[in-house]
């Protein structure tokens, strides 16, 4: 009697697709990482296949997913994988935070392709899966090509993505507050002073040059460490502080013609004295459109934030 | 209202992001449009990195940028680069492909010379089988017909004159990458027909001419001294722009070699398509390299160094003949005259270190490769460091040391007699130090030169011409009485004398 178990033919389809993609990847991309691809096959790809294997369009959907993986590795967008052990844990503990996985995602696209998609694609109606894959890729790749602060911020909020089907709404809700233009600056009292602790960006962070990359986003360069940059998102309460390995964007400072005079542990803003307790000697400062002044000290990880009335 | 506006802005932004490279085709399959191409320098760097990671295992990085980090003690030190660093064995062939110049790979058999050349041809878009058939393997029986082609036999019989004879030219002549394996095994007579192809870009037979397009040449030789089965003709050697030595295989990569055996695959079999350069891209690269800016101060330092190498005070008492060519034409060597009879300090002056000077052709090669290096690194101008890095490879076979120089007798300089790369680099480093010290002296000369360039000498009245002549004479007098006649001073006096002649000739024309 001839054995023709669906499982066997299904495994063949899986293997064939893996081999096809591996061969194409090696032929096309200088960045092709075969070991990474094999790891992904054992983890994400296997999980994806297992979750959709009973669908009538599984071959097309799986092939589409593997195309995303192929292009992702080839373009060096995907640089890491999760193990099958990780996925088993995540299936049981869906709210597990990235920090407990011991992984730092490099981009929102990588997060979606390696974590979200294999875990949740089967929850999407089968006929919508291909369109969703196209959407996720285009959104993810375009975010990568934007100024760095956008990708950084979106990635920091990635764990709030409810499902992939709601990705557009998630992105709108995430970006909208950042795109809110600031209120016109008055540079008049009352002034409110608060402290931003640079060690919350990086343990050894020492604030250096600062510039505004968007109405509500500040980029702070570390004074000593190459490749260390802090992002301060000042529209959020409290401010969101993020670490990045590259500058967050070009300076978009408007020229603020405000008279500033620094003294020991204080500053005069348009002749109004504002105490900056424990500032000492100031190192750098930034006048932001929207009426904020950020000041760093010569010998401190802190940034003094002065918000004008 | 404001809340709605930024929300609307966010929606518009996300709508924009929805349009991208991924799409579904008519069969419902997911496809990608082509990615926006990497910039060409990025693509070249990607090609370099792929070769280093997958094809040629070469841990010897000898082109290094940035201040050195010194480790160890005086008697044994290692210097690490603080910026980017490259292996010359891979980088220089790549620069040769980008500049369509001529490179010689020398080294013991089995070091990867032909492999590197083959990889360059693959990068240029040729198939492996095409390349293998097109490589010209030097051997003692090689004839002109083997290299260039032969006339159609029927034409030979029927032709009434040579113009009627058609020649079946070899296909390799038209290729963008030309590989001559073991060129020193080609008979000397046959080498001559290579010469016009390499030097002039065409070959001739029976009054038929074939032009070879802009192409990069890769020649290989086993013997370091350029000898082999046959002597290589000087003119052919001279046409080689740059020489690269092959590096020994490092045993840390044995596992990779074992893998190749197990998989029965060579790297030439799987060069990825995204690093292959199209002919249009190669043309663009060539044009972009030529457009890289060469700052005047960089050119000056290069000129300052190399002009010293030609100089020989003892060759003649006449200014114009105080160079090494004068010596050589008289059958003498630098070692014969560079003795205590020459008042110049043998440790300070660079002229003592070399037997030969440098030709104008070598200058052009240095400039071209330095531009290519700057382009490769993503820079828009050439720096002194680019010159410093490329000099040893261009001058490696062209600059002959003077082993009798006092410079090489010092214990700490013995190593330069074997390590030519380091020797040439120290020449450049010394030149930079001397250039800085010499600059204050040059100020009046620079002014005179600037005046001569900006004035229209033809339009100057006689009075002004006389004044300039007098100024130049005084300047020459000052230089020759107050300063030692070393190479930099000699070079400036030659310049001043030239300016003097220009002004005087113009004055003469007024009298006519």
């Amino acid at each position: 009697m001839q054995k023709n178990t669906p499982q066997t033919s299904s495994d063949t389809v899986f293997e064939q697709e893996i081999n096809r993609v591996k061969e194409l990847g090696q032929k096309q991309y200088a960045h092709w990482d075969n070991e990474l691809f094999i790891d992904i096959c054992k983890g994400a790809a296997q999980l994806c296949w297992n979750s959709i294997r009973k669908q009538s369009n599984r071959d097309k959907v799986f092939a589409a997913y593997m195309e995303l993986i192929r292009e992702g590795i080839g373009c060096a967008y995907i640089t890491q994988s999760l193990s099958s052990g990780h996925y088993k844990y995540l299936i049981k503990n869906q709210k597990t935070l990235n920090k407990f996985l011991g992984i730092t995602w490099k981009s929102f696209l990588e997060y979606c392709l390696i974590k979200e998609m294999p875990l949740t694609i089967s929850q999407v109606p089968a006929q919508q899966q291909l369109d969703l894959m196209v959407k996720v890729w285009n959104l993810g790749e375009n975010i990568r090509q934007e100024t760095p602060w956008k990708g950084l911020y979106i990635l920091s909020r990635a764990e709030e993505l409810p499902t992939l089907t709601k990705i557009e709404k998630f992105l709108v809700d995430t970006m909208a507050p950042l795109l809110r233009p600031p209120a016109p600056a008055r540079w008049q009292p009352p002034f409110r002073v608060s402290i931003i602790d640079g060690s919350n960006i990086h343990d050894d962070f020492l604030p250096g040059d600062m510039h505004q990359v968007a109405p509500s986003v500040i980029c702070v360069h570390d004074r000593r460490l190459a490749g260390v940059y802090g992002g301060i998102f000042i529209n959020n309460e409290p401010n969101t502080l993020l670490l990045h390995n590259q500058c967050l964007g070009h300076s978009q400072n408007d020229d603020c013609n405000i008279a500033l005079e620094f003294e020991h542990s204080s500053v005069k803003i348009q002749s109004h004295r504002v105490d900056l307790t424990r500032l000492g000697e100031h190192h750098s400062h930034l006048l932001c459109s929207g009426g904020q002044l950020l000041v760093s000290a010569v010998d401190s990880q802190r940034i003094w934030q002065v918000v004008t009335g | 209202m404001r809340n709605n506006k930024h929300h609307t802005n966010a929606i518009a932004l996300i709508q924009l992001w929805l349009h991208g490279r991924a799409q579904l085709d008519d069969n419902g399959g997911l496809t990608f449009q082509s990615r926006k191409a990497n910039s060409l320098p990025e693509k070249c760097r990607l090609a370099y990195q792929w070769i280093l990671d997958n094809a040629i295992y070469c841990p010897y990085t000898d082109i290094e940028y940035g201040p050195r980090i010194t480790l160890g003690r005086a008697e044994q030190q290692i210097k690490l680069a603080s910026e980017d660093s490259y292996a010359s064995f891979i980088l220089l062939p790549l620069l040769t492909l980008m500049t369509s110049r001529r490179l010689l790979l020398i080294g013991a058999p089995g070091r990867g010379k032909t492999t590197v050349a083959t990889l360059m041809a693959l990068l240029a878009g040729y198939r492996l089988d095409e390349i293998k058939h097109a490589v010209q393997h030097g051997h003692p029986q090689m004839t002109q017909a083997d290299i260039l082609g032969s006339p159609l036999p029927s034409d030979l019989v029927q032709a009434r004159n040579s113009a009627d004879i058609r020649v079946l030219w070899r296909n390799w002549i038209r290729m963008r990458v030309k590989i001559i394996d073991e060129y020193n095994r080609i008979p000397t007579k046959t080498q001559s027909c290579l010469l016009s192809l390499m030097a002039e870009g065409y070959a001739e037979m029976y009054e038929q001419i074939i032009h070879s397009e802009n192409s990069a040449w890769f020649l290989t030789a086993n013997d370091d001294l350029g000898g082999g089965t046959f002597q290589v003709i000087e003119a052919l050697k001279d046409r080689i722009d740059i020489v690269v030595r092959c590096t020994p295989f490092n045993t840390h990569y044995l596992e990779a070699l074992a893998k190749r055996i197990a998989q029965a695959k060579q790297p030439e079999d799987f060069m990825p398509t995204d690093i292959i350069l199209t002919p249009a891209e190669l043309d663009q690269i060539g044009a972009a390299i030529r457009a890289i800016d060469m700052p005047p101060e960089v050119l000056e330092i290069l000129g300052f160094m190399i002009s010293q190498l030609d100089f020989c005070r003892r060759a003649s008492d006449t200014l114009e003949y105080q160079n090494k060519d004068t010596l050589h034409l008289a059958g003498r060597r630098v070692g014969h005259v560079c003795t205590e009879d020459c008042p110049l300090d043998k440790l300070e002056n660079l002229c003592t270190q070399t037997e030969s000077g440098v030709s104008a052709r070598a200058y052009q090669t240095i400039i071209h490769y330095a531009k290519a290096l700057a382009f490769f690194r993503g820079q828009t101008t050439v720096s002194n460091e680019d010159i410093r890095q490329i000099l040893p490879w261009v001058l490696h076979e062209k600059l002959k040391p003077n082993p009798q120089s006092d410079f090489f007798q010092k214990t700490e300089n013995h190593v330069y007699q074997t390590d030519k790369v380091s020797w040439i680099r120290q020449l450049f480093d010394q030149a930079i130090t001397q250039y800085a010290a010499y600059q204050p002296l040059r100020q009046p000369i620079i002014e005179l030169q600037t005046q001569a360039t900006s004035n229209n000498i033809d339009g100057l009245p006689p009075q002004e011409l006389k004044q300039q002549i007098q100024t130049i004479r005084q300047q020459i007098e000052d230089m020759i009485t107050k300063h030692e006649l070393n190479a930099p001073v000699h070079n400036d006096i030659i310049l001043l004398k030239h300016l003097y002649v220009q002004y005087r000739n113009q004055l003469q024309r007024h009298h006519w």
Side-chain angles (χ1 to χ4, degrees):
Chain A
M1 196 162 78
Q2 207 170 9
K3 271 191 182 174
N4 189 18
T5 58
Q7 191 165 1
T8 305
S9 70
S10 151
D11 287 344
T12 307
V13 169
F14 177 80
E15 292 290 337
Q16 280 175 349
E17 188 58 30
I18 299 297
N19 289 334
R20 182 191 74 86
V21 169
K22 185 166 107 176
E23 203 176 310
L24 279 176
Q26 280 177 323
K27 269 193 190 157
Q28 187 174 350
Y29 303 108
H31 276 307
W32 185 256
D33 183 341
N34 220 38
E35 284 177 21
L36 173 63
F37 178 70
I38 290 169
D39 285 343
I40 291 174
C41 290
K42 287 180 188 165
Q46 185 71 71
L47 177 61
C48 179
W49 176 252
N50 289 347
S51 69
I52 62 170
R53 71 196 307 154
K54 292 188 177 147
Q55 289 176 193
S56 58
N57 66 348
R58 67 165 190 204
D59 291 359
K60 264 209 172 84
V61 172
F62 186 64
Y65 180 67
M66 292 311 292
E67 282 298 301
L68 297 181
I69 295 297
R70 179 169 77 90
E71 188 75 4
I73 295 177
C75 297
Y77 295 163
I78 300 175
T79 58
Q80 54 198 332
S81 67
L82 291 173
S83 68
S84 52
H86 280 126
Y87 288 113
K88 279 184 191 152
Y89 186 82
L90 283 166
I91 290 167
K92 284 186 192 162
N93 305 280
Q94 289 177 14
K95 298 290 178 198
T96 303
L97 296 176
N98 290 326
K99 61 183 180 186
F100 297 121
L101 291 175
I103 196 158
T104 306
W105 299 105
K106 298 290 185 294
S107 68
F108 183 62
L109 178 62
E110 186 183 61
Y111 173 84
C112 289
L113 291 182
I114 300 297
K115 188 186 172 207
E116 283 296 314
M117 206 172 274
L119 282 170
T120 63
I121 193 67
S122 58
Q123 295 164 20
V124 177
Q127 301 317 311
Q128 294 173 17
Q129 288 168 355
L130 286 171
D131 284 318
L132 180 63
M133 285 183 178
V134 167
K135 183 186 290 190
V136 167
W137 176 274
N138 288 337
L139 288 169
E141 187 172 42
N142 283 325
I143 289 169
R144 278 187 65 98
Q145 286 164 1
E146 286 279 349
T147 43
W149 69 264
K150 288 180 186 145
L152 176 69
Y153 188 74
I154 291 168
L155 181 59
S156 75
R157 305 282 298 270
E159 287 175 314
E160 297 168 36
L161 173 68
T163 65
L164 279 177
T165 49
K166 294 186 177 161
I167 191 170
E168 283 178 64
K169 183 177 185 308
F170 161 75
L171 289 172
V172 169
D173 292 343
T174 302
M175 291 302 296
L178 297 181
L179 300 178
R180 188 180 73 228
R186 283 176 47 239
W187 300 109
Q188 296 294 328
F191 298 103
R192 205 171 69 242
V193 180
S194 57
I195 304 282
I196 298 171
D197 189 348
S199 65
N200 289 336
I201 297 172
H202 179 284
D203 285 346
D204 299 324
F205 195 79
L206 193 62
D209 293 338
M210 297 185 273
H211 59 103
Q212 196 170 354
V213 296
S216 61
V217 185
I218 311 300
C219 178
V220 187
H221 295 214
D222 188 283
R223 217 182 297 175
R224 289 173 310 194
L225 303 170
V228 173
Y229 302 83
I232 306 176
F233 296 79
I234 56 179
N235 270 7
N236 295 347
E237 195 64 53
N239 295 328
T240 298
L241 305 178
L242 295 172
L243 171 68
H244 203 38
N245 60 6
Q246 56 175 294
C247 182
L248 297 182
H250 294 301
S251 177
Q252 290 187 5
N253 284 3
D254 293 326
D255 287 327
C256 298
N257 266 334
I258 303 300
L260 283 182
E261 197 182 317
F262 285 95
E263 292 162 358
H264 193 268
S265 293
S266 70
V267 61
K268 273 191 189 164
I269 303 174
Q270 308 262 68
S271 75
H272 303 288
R273 172 176 263 107
V274 181
D275 284 327
L276 303 174
T277 313
R278 295 199 185 149
L279 173 79
E281 192 185 335
H282 95 284
H283 176 260
S284 61
H285 71 275
L286 176 69
L287 278 166
C288 305
S289 56
Q292 292 200 24
L293 169 67
L294 299 181
V295 186
S296 68
V298 162
D299 57 358
S300 173
Q301 289 189 284
R302 297 174 183 168
I303 298 173
W304 280 254
Q305 183 180 23
V306 183
V307 179
T308 63
Chain B
M1 201 61 135
R2 192 186 287 155
N3 280 349
N4 284 340
K5 187 170 190 281
H6 67 262
H7 200 259
T8 307
N9 289 344
I11 291 173
L13 181 62
I14 276 66
Q15 286 301 310
L16 206 61
W17 288 347
L18 283 169
H19 298 284
R21 294 196 300 126
Q23 57 197 14
L24 295 177
D25 62 22
D26 296 336
N27 298 326
L30 194 150
T31 59
F32 290 94
Q33 288 174 353
S34 300
R35 198 154 59 126
K36 188 176 136 187
N38 284 343
S39 71
L40 290 173
E42 272 175 26
K43 195 168 180 178
C44 294
R45 288 195 291 273
L46 192 58
Y48 169 88
Q49 199 58 46
W50 185 87
I51 293 173
L52 188 67
D53 291 340
N54 298 282
I56 305 285
Y57 300 114
C58 181
Y60 306 100
T61 48
D62 48 1
I63 293 180
E64 297 176 305
Y65 281 81
R68 294 292 180 271
I69 303 164
T70 306
L71 305 173
R73 292 188 294 272
E75 57 274 12
Q76 194 151 321
Q77 283 183 349
I78 303 293
K79 294 188 189 223
L80 299 178
S82 54
E83 293 177 22
D84 40 335
S85 51
Y86 307 99
S88 62
F89 186 37
I90 301 170
L91 180 59
L92 296 180
L94 187 52
L95 296 184
T96 302
L97 175 66
M98 290 153 61
T99 51
S100 297
R101 281 205 169 251
R102 297 162 287 246
L103 176 141
L104 172 65
L105 291 142
I106 51 176
R111 299 281 203 204
K113 301 186 290 296
T114 313
T115 302
V116 162
T118 304
L119 288 168
M120 294 303 119
L122 285 168
L123 275 180
Y126 292 104
R127 295 189 323 269
L128 190 55
D129 59 318
E130 271 183 304
I131 298 165
K132 285 181 176 172
H133 295 146
V135 172
Q136 300 305 294
H137 298 280
H139 61 86
Q141 290 76 41
M142 201 171 206
T143 62
Q144 182 179 339
D146 291 329
I147 288 197
L148 297 182
S150 45
L152 283 170
S154 55
D155 286 3
L156 270 179
V157 169
Q158 293 164 16
R160 289 187 172 231
N161 53 54
S162 54
D164 295 339
I165 302 171
R166 286 170 298 167
V167 175
L168 262 178
W169 298 104
R170 296 286 314 280
N171 284 336
W172 76 276
I173 294 173
R174 292 187 184 87
M175 285 174 74
R176 189 131 191 175
V177 171
K178 296 177 171 57
I179 304 174
I180 313 286
D181 207 15
E182 299 192 61
Y183 86 126
N184 53 348
R185 295 188 72 223
I186 299 174
T188 311
K189 186 179 168 188
T190 314
Q191 289 175 26
S192 306
C193 63
L194 251 191
L195 182 60
S196 68
L197 202 51
M198 266 178 74
E200 314 299 335
Y202 74 90
E204 189 179 346
M205 194 191 297
Y206 291 98
E207 292 181 30
Q208 313 296 309
I209 293 178
I210 182 170
H211 292 276
S212 102
E213 59 174 273
N214 212 17
S215 48
W217 289 73
F218 297 93
L219 300 94
T220 75
N222 285 341
D223 191 288
D224 285 9
L225 300 173
T229 313
F230 295 97
Q231 188 66 30
V232 177
I233 57 181
E234 282 303 315
L236 188 62
K237 266 200 247 179
D238 192 54
R239 284 308 195 279
I240 291 167
D241 292 311
I242 199 164
V243 176
V244 162
R245 305 183 66 94
C246 302
T247 50
F249 179 76
N250 187 288
T251 52
H252 287 118
Y253 296 99
L254 269 174
E255 200 182 317
L257 281 192
K259 231 187 204 177
R260 275 191 202 172
I261 301 288
Q263 293 171 354
K265 267 190 184 173
Q266 296 294 327
E268 301 94 292
D269 297 326
F270 57 88
M271 179 172 281
T273 53
D274 69 353
I275 57 171
I276 290 174
L277 297 161
T278 64
E281 283 176 327
L282 282 169
D283 288 339
Q284 281 172 41
I285 287 170
I289 286 172
R290 289 181 186 277
I292 294 280
D293 185 40
M294 178 63 103
E297 48 277 15
V298 172
L299 272 180
E300 259 202 45
I301 290 176
L302 176 64
F304 182 85
M305 174 200 152
I306 296 189
S307 65
Q308 293 194 55
L309 307 183
D310 260 310
F311 174 69
C312 180
R313 178 165 165 168
R314 298 264 291 143
S316 170
D317 290 333
T318 305
L319 204 69
E320 284 75 8
Y321 305 140
Q322 285 177 331
N323 55 61
K324 288 165 187 171
D325 282 348
T326 307
L327 278 180
H328 297 149
L329 285 169
R332 306 207 74 200
R333 304 186 69 78
V334 171
H336 294 148
V337 301
C338 194
T339 61
E340 55 272 6
D341 292 337
C342 175
L344 296 179
D345 185 330
K346 307 293 181 292
L347 298 176
E348 285 296 315
N349 287 276
L350 304 186
C351 51
T352 169
Q353 293 185 37
T354 71
E355 182 61 53
S356 58
V358 171
S359 66
R361 190 178 292 142
Y363 269 108
Q364 290 180 65
T365 305
I366 293 165
I367 291 169
H368 201 180
Y369 272 95
K371 287 187 173 205
L373 195 44
F375 172 86
F376 178 82
R377 297 179 67 235
Q379 308 296 316
T380 52
T381 58
V382 176
S383 65
N384 281 333
E385 196 57 32
D386 295 320
I387 300 282
R388 184 176 181 276
Q389 294 301 331
I390 212 68
L391 261 182
W393 314 106
V394 176
L395 299 183
H396 197 275
E397 301 302 309
K398 298 190 193 300
L399 204 59
K400 306 278 180 272
N402 167 26
Q404 285 147 319
S405 165
D406 285 352
F407 172 84
F408 291 111
Q409 308 317 314
K410 278 189 88 175
T411 313
E412 62 265 33
N413 295 336
H414 283 169
V415 71
Y416 294 137
Q417 292 188 41
T418 43
D419 180 0
K420 247 181 158 178
V421 171
S422 301
W423 170 55
I424 294 171
R425 288 225 171 102
Q426 76 71 38
L427 277 171
F428 187 75
D429 293 339
Q430 260 197 289
I432 286 208
T433 310
Q434 290 173 0
Y435 178 82
Y438 187 66
Q439 277 308 98
L441 184 67
R442 294 211 74 233
Q443 213 36 56
I445 301 160
I446 293 171
E447 279 169 22
L448 284 167
Q449 189 180 16
T450 310
Q451 279 170 17
T453 315
S454 55
N455 290 344
N456 177 8
I457 294 183
D458 292 348
L460 287 178
Q463 197 50 42
E464 218 169 304
L465 289 169
K466 283 181 187 169
Q467 196 178 334
Q468 286 291 88
I469 289 169
Q470 187 52 39
T471 308
I472 292 170
R473 281 175 60 167
Q474 187 56 52
Q475 183 62 41
I476 294 176
E477 176 76 31
D478 284 348
M479 288 191 79
I480 206 72
T481 51
K482 292 177 187 167
H483 301 283
E484 185 175 59
L485 182 60
N486 58 19
V489 169
H490 173 267
N491 206 33
D492 279 338
I493 294 177
I494 291 281
L495 169 66
L496 288 171
K497 193 174 170 188
H498 176 66
L499 292 178
Y500 170 84
V501 165
Q502 282 186 296
Y503 282 117
R504 203 207 51 212
N505 285 350
Q506 182 56 25
L507 188 63
Q508 196 84 3
R509 282 192 277 276
H510 273 290
H511 290 322
W512 294 338

